[in-house]
């Protein structure tokens, strides 16, 4: 799997999310400022509610822009076996039932599932519990994560 292709897929998905957030902010702003939505009494809050929604969507769009900036600056390098799993690693884990999962350890904010060839790849950050647990691990090591009352354990099969 190509890490740079995965990075581009993340950026493409974030660009789609940004477009949707900007469009939602525009629609909410137009609703908030439309002359038909001027409050006639203190109970007429459609315009006010739309203004809050427009503000929230604008904040969401700005947050997506920040995430995109982080991903643009991110340059995943080759795996260095002496350092173990680091930011930019592409990791294959297997659970106790033999189920494999592929994870791409990237910057904050890119949590999503991607398809690369015939593989599904989960993008996670080092701030995610599983991402944090994988840092510094090597092929053959066990990774353990507590999720609610359940402890999940995985083996690191491969790191690229």
């Amino acid at each position: 799997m190509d890490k740079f292709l995965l990075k581009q897929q993340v950026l493409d998905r974030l660009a789609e999310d940004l477009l949707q957030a900007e469009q939602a902010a525009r629609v909410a702003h137009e609703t908030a400022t439309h002359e038909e939505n001027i409050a006639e009494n203190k109970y007429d809050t459609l315009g006010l509610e739309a203004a809050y929604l427009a503000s929230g969507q604008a904040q969401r769009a700005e947050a997506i822009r920040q995430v995109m900036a982080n991903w643009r600056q991110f340059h995943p390098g080759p795996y260095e076996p002496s350092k173990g799993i680091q930011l930019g690693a592409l990791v294959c884990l297997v659970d106790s039932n033999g189920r494999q999962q592929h994870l791409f350890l990237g910057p904050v904010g890119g949590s999503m599932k991607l398809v690369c060839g015939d593989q599904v790849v989960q993008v996670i950050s080092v701030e995610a519990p599983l991402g944090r647990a994988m840092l510094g691990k090597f092929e053959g090591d066990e990774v353990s994560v507590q999720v609610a009352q359940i402890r999940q354990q995985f083996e690191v099969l491969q790191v690229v």
Side-chain angles (χ1 to χ4, degrees):
M1 280 183 254
D2 185 347
K3 294 179 188 183
F4 294 99
L5 177 61
L6 290 171
K7 174 186 169 182
Q8 189 56 51
Q9 286 183 1
V10 169
L11 285 169
D12 291 347
R13 180 88 56 85
L14 288 169
E16 290 172 17
D17 292 349
L18 178 60
L19 211 63
Q20 289 176 355
E22 289 173 337
Q23 182 179 6
R26 268 191 307 279
V27 168
H29 177 63
E30 289 169 5
T31 301
T33 58
H34 194 276
E35 65 185 41
E36 289 181 6
N37 294 327
I38 295 173
E40 295 176 5
N41 59 51
K42 68 180 182 178
Y43 302 107
D44 191 3
T45 61
L46 180 62
L48 181 61
E49 292 168 10
Y52 282 129
L53 182 59
S55 175
Q57 291 294 354
Q59 289 173 359
R60 180 172 172 258
E62 183 54 35
I64 294 170
R65 282 188 203 92
Q66 288 296 319
V67 169
M68 288 178 76
N70 291 341
W71 273 89
R72 282 190 195 105
Q73 294 173 2
F74 171 57
H75 301 289
Y79 171 62
E80 294 182 41
S82 64
K83 292 184 178 181
I85 296 172
Q86 300 294 317
L87 183 67
L90 188 55
V91 182
C92 179
L93 298 179
V94 63
D95 66 14
S96 59
N97 296 322
R99 286 181 294 214
Q100 293 183 13
Q101 60 179 315
H102 298 272
L103 303 161
F104 183 42
L105 202 54
V108 174
S111 180
M112 62 185 70
K113 285 188 179 182
L114 303 173
V115 177
C116 188
D118 60 347
Q119 297 291 331
V120 174
V121 178
Q122 176 70 49
V123 180
I124 63 172
S125 78
V126 294
E127 291 186 359
L130 183 56
R132 202 172 24 255
M134 288 191 310
L135 286 176
K137 300 289 185 181
F138 301 90
E139 289 182 1
D141 284 353
E142 283 197 8
V143 176
S144 182
V145 177
Q146 183 82 26
V147 178
Q149 301 299 324
I150 301 170
R151 179 159 290 291
Q152 296 180 332
Q153 292 194 312
F154 306 93
E155 180 185 344
V156 179
L157 281 185
Q158 183 182 25
V159 184
V160 179

